[in-house]
């Protein structure tokens, strides 16, 4: 029953049945319904916690998988580059495939997206744990890590793509979605803190032996003579960290499943069949604002991924802080977590494009300082805290701006629905593919520079290569990305216009639904 129906009964009581009067009066009572679109803090927190599994596992893999393969599993640099590149490339390929399957999925009692999250979680946690297990057959290690890395990335894609698209289905209000996105980004950055702290602190307690003589035959001899106890202790530390992270993954997934419900758009519910996938893909890829947004963020994301993938090696060998890298990572992520609310206020006050320019460009001075300064622990900590501010902006802004692009698309193509997974899956596809390329090129570059497994120090060429990968290359990529953002057309004025137009579209859809019901009932009465 609609609100305010008690006021209708005295106006035309003898002319038509009350149900007809109620439905004809509904458009005049629209305003109170806006309150139903508001999300409670509990809803936002449950939604936000769903982003933690992807970030906790992604952070642990991004920062530690490379050095784990090289120094613990003792996979060669070339084989490690194959594992990292193929794993990330496969991860990228699965995003549009999962987006295709989701777009074909019917609505169920749990929604269209939640079943994917539910059924992918068990396989994801099993595969993640086995990534950090060192098998007894050394000649087949490459295939082991490749298999379970690809399996995990597939399952986490089945979790993350529907979770990302869920942003469009938790509310129809832009402000509520932006607020929920801010909650989500805060929890996701907190997830990176947890991933960094758990993996870094547990693994950091287990000493990794290093060899002073970098001659390959000497390294092989010392490695063969090294006690099995130390190696086993190091492997156990990685497994313990993986077990803790798996528990966090399961808890957050359960909270998301129990605490969030999907909502369908009124104009979407009136259409019986969603758009064909390849037709939708063609429309999405021809939408100018989307192409400009993902191209800009492709370069900036690649910059931060280069830093992430090589930061541990950079701290260990270039800066010489072998026992401090986990604390430096923690400083970066804590700083990012604390500044997410500040960036949310900034983009609300000054606009999202301004936040992109200020937030992401703020990393450039600190990267230059790291490239030019001598090794100094205090200055490095200060730079880490300052860099976390830019990391927070890089986390928040892409996911805050994608819904604006989708709203703009819906206004230009109001008769097509079901394209949300395509938007999110292809954005993630491009960023993950770039990540795979960056990790593969990084590890191959280290191999060509003469990287020595478990060396206490590295040749100067390796140190120079790490310096370029962590400082100069990201600076160039950030500047290119910011230049591309100049062409992004959705500013604050256009966002406000889109919001008004979408609300009018929803009102029209609701009104047409009411009028169809009224006509049918009136015809039966006559």
């Amino acid at each position: 029953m609609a609100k305010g129906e008690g006021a209708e009964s005295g106006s035309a009581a003898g002319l038509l049945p009350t149900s007809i009067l109620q439905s004809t009066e509904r458009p005049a009572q629209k305003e109170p319904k806006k309150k139903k679109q508001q999300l409670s803090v509990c809803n936002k927190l449950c939604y936000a916690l769903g982003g933690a599994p992807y970030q906790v596992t992604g952070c642990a893999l991004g920062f530690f998988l490379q050095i784990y393969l090289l120094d613990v599993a003792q996979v060669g640099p070339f084989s490690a580059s194959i594992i990292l590149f193929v794993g990330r490339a496969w991860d990228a390929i699965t995003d549009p495939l999962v987006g295709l399957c989701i777009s074909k999925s019917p609505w169920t009692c749990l929604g269209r997206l939640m079943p994917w999250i539910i059924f992918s979680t068990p396989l994801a946690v099993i595969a993640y744990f086995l990534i950090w297990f060192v098998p007894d057959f050394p000649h087949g290690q490459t295939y082991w890590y490749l298999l379970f890395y690809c399996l995990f990335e597939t399952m986490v894609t089945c979790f993350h793509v529907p979770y990302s698209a869920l942003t469009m289905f938790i509310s129809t209000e832009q402000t509520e979605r932006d607020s929920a996105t801010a909650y989500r980004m805060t929890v996701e950055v907190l997830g990176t803190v947890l991933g960094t702290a758990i993996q870094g602190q547990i693994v950091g307690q287990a000493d990794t032996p290093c060899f002073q003589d970098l001659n390959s035959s000497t390294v092989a001899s010392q490695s063969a003579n090294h006690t099995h106890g130390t190696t086993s202790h190091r492997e156990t530390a990685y497994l313990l960290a993986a077990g803790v992270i798996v528990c966090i993954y399961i808890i957050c997934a359960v909270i998301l499943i129990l605490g969030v419900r999907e909502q369908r758009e009124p104009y979407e519910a009136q259409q019986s069949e969603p758009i064909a996938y390849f037709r939708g893909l063609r429309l999405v890829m021809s939408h100018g604002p989307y192409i400009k947004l993902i191209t800009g963020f492709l370069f900036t994301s690649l910059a931060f991924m280069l830093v992430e993938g090589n930061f541990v090696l950079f701290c260990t060998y270039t800066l010489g802080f072998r026992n401090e890298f986990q604390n430096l990572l923690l400083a970066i992520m804590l700083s990012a977590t604390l500044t997410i609310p500040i960036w949310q206020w900034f983009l609300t006050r000054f606009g999202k494009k301004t936040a992109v320019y200020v937030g992401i460009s703020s990393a450039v001075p600190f990267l230059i300082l790291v490239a030019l300064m001598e090794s100094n622990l205090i200055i490095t900590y200060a730079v880490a805290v300052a860099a976390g501010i830019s990391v927070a902006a890089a986390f928040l802004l892409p996911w805050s701006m994608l819904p604006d692009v989708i709203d703009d698309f819906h206004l230009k193509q109001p008769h097509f629905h079901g394209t949300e997974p395509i938007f999110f899956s292809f954005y993630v596809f491009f960023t993950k593919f770039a990540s795979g390329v960056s990790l593969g090129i990084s590890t191959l570059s280290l191999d060509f520079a003469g990287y020595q497994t478990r060396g206490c120090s590295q040749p100067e060429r390796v140190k120079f290569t790490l310096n370029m990968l962590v400082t100069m290359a990201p600076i160039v990529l950030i500047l290119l990305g910011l230049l591309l953002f100049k062409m992004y057309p959705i500013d604050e004025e256009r966002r406000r216009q889109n919001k008004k137009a979408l609300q009018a579209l929803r009102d029209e859809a609701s009104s047409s639904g009411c009028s169809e019901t009224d006509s049918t009932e009136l015809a039966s009465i006559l």
Side-chain angles (χ1 to χ4, degrees):
M1 302 293 284
K3 292 183 180 180
E5 67 190 41
E8 303 167 356
S9 56
S11 57
L15 299 179
L16 287 173
T18 305
S19 59
I20 295 290
L21 294 174
Q22 289 170 357
S23 52
T24 55
E25 296 246 354
R26 252 176 228 151
Q29 302 293 329
K30 277 287 180 188
E31 291 303 318
K33 287 191 176 182
K34 291 184 180 179
K35 294 182 179 178
K36 291 186 178 181
Q37 299 297 333
Q38 293 182 354
L39 298 173
S40 67
V41 173
C42 181
N43 291 141
K44 293 175 184 178
L45 286 174
C46 290
Y47 166 73
L49 285 171
Y54 180 77
Q55 293 300 334
V56 172
T57 55
C59 182
L61 290 169
F63 281 120
F64 292 94
L65 183 58
Q66 185 183 47
I67 196 170
Y68 167 80
L69 292 174
L70 294 173
D71 288 355
V72 179
Q74 298 188 55
V75 177
F78 180 76
S79 297
S81 68
I82 296 297
I83 294 169
L84 294 171
F85 173 73
V86 173
R88 289 297 181 97
W90 173 252
D91 184 23
I93 292 170
T94 57
D95 283 289
L97 294 177
V98 171
L100 167 62
C101 296
I102 292 174
S103 67
K104 300 291 186 181
S105 300
W107 279 84
T108 67
C109 60
L110 297 174
R112 189 172 66 184
L113 306 175
M114 277 298 178
W116 289 84
I117 294 173
I118 294 170
F119 293 116
S120 65
T121 298
L123 290 174
V125 298
I126 293 171
Y128 179 80
F129 187 81
L130 292 176
I131 289 173
W132 303 103
F133 178 77
V134 180
D136 292 333
F137 40 91
H139 296 294
Q141 282 185 340
T142 301
Y143 301 105
W144 173 278
Y145 291 116
L146 199 55
L147 170 64
F148 287 107
Y149 189 28
C150 290
L151 177 60
F152 170 74
E153 294 294 358
T154 302
M155 291 300 103
V156 83
T157 297
C158 292
F159 182 101
H160 190 248
V161 169
Y163 173 73
S164 299
L166 191 62
T167 306
M168 300 303 298
F169 296 98
I170 56 175
S171 176
T172 58
E173 291 293 323
Q174 273 189 2
T175 54
E176 291 298 305
R177 292 201 304 255
D178 286 347
S179 177
T181 299
Y183 275 79
R184 171 190 166 187
M185 291 300 109
T186 302
V187 171
E188 287 195 0
V189 177
L190 186 59
T192 64
V193 173
L194 283 175
T196 304
I198 293 168
Q199 193 83 9
Q201 298 301 322
I202 293 177
V203 171
Q205 301 303 313
D207 295 329
T208 301
C210 62
F211 308 122
Q212 297 291 346
D213 189 347
L214 295 178
N215 180 272
S216 58
S217 60
T218 306
V219 170
S221 175
Q222 291 181 352
S223 179
N225 294 330
H226 191 270
T227 59
H228 176 71
T230 304
T231 304
S232 177
H233 181 57
R234 186 72 168 175
E235 294 169 4
T236 302
Y238 273 97
L239 286 176
L240 177 60
V244 175
I245 289 175
V246 159
C247 292
I248 294 173
Y249 193 117
I250 294 172
I251 292 170
C252 292
V254 170
I255 292 173
L256 171 67
I257 293 165
L258 297 179
V260 176
R261 291 291 178 269
E262 297 177 52
Q263 300 180 25
R264 300 183 75 173
E265 287 278 11
Y267 55 81
E268 178 184 342
Q270 293 180 355
Q271 303 179 47
S272 57
E273 292 293 334
I275 187 174
Y277 180 79
F278 289 104
R279 186 182 182 188
L281 177 60
R282 190 164 55 251
L283 289 172
V284 167
M285 289 304 169
S286 63
H287 189 55
Y290 180 65
I291 297 300
K292 292 166 185 174
L293 182 72
I294 63 172
T295 306
F297 277 121
L298 179 64
F299 283 96
T300 57
S301 298
L302 182 56
F304 286 101
M305 288 171 188
L306 276 174
V307 176
E308 178 189 69
N310 297 281
F311 186 79
V312 174
L313 292 173
F314 177 74
C315 289
T316 302
Y317 296 115
T318 303
L319 297 181
F321 302 138
R322 173 178 290 272
N323 298 320
E324 292 289 336
F325 69 84
Q326 66 268 24
N327 298 323
L328 288 167
L329 289 174
L330 195 58
I332 292 173
M333 295 308 172
L334 282 174
S335 172
T337 303
L338 295 175
T339 51
I340 282 281
I342 298 175
W343 284 118
Q344 174 62 22
W345 168 84
F346 188 94
L347 66 86
T348 303
R349 177 67 177 82
F350 299 102
K352 296 180 182 181
K353 285 189 70 173
T354 304
V356 167
Y357 294 130
V358 175
I360 295 179
S361 64
S362 64
V364 173
F366 302 110
L367 291 175
I368 294 174
L369 181 60
V370 169
L372 299 179
M373 74 177 185
E374 296 292 331
S375 179
N376 184 295
L377 185 58
I378 296 176
I379 295 177
T380 304
Y381 269 106
V383 170
V385 172
I389 300 173
S390 186
V391 170
F395 264 99
L396 175 64
L397 289 167
W399 301 109
S400 181
M401 297 171 77
L402 266 174
D404 299 335
V405 173
I406 298 173
D407 285 343
D408 189 78
F409 176 84
H410 283 163
L411 284 174
K412 293 183 178 179
Q413 306 289 346
H415 300 296
F416 299 117
H417 70 279
T419 56
E420 292 85 0
I422 300 176
F423 277 99
F424 285 98
S425 63
F426 269 87
Y427 168 71
V428 178
F429 164 78
F430 287 117
T431 55
K432 286 182 178 179
F433 188 80
S435 173
V437 171
S438 70
L439 283 174
I441 292 175
S442 298
T443 312
L444 279 178
S445 299
L446 294 175
D447 189 23
F448 294 146
Y451 180 86
Q452 298 292 330
T453 301
R454 284 193 177 182
C456 290
S457 61
Q458 296 290 341
E460 288 301 319
R461 288 183 303 170
V462 173
K463 295 179 181 179
F464 176 79
T465 301
L466 286 169
N467 204 342
M468 293 297 100
L469 291 172
V470 173
T471 57
M472 299 311 299
I475 289 172
V476 173
L477 291 168
I478 286 173
L479 293 178
L480 287 173
L482 293 177
L483 285 175
L484 290 170
F485 276 117
K486 293 289 290 182
M487 298 183 291
Y488 179 67
I490 302 179
D491 53 15
E492 292 307 298
E493 179 60 29
R494 183 160 169 178
R495 283 183 68 233
R496 284 191 289 269
Q497 293 174 358
N498 288 351
K499 180 179 179 181
K500 293 178 182 178
L502 277 173
Q503 188 58 49
L505 185 64
R506 294 182 185 114
D507 292 343
E508 181 182 355
S510 299
S511 300
S512 64
C514 291
S515 62
E516 289 175 7
T517 303
D518 298 346
S519 300
T520 302
E521 189 168 351
L522 185 58
S524 65
I525 292 171
L526 292 174

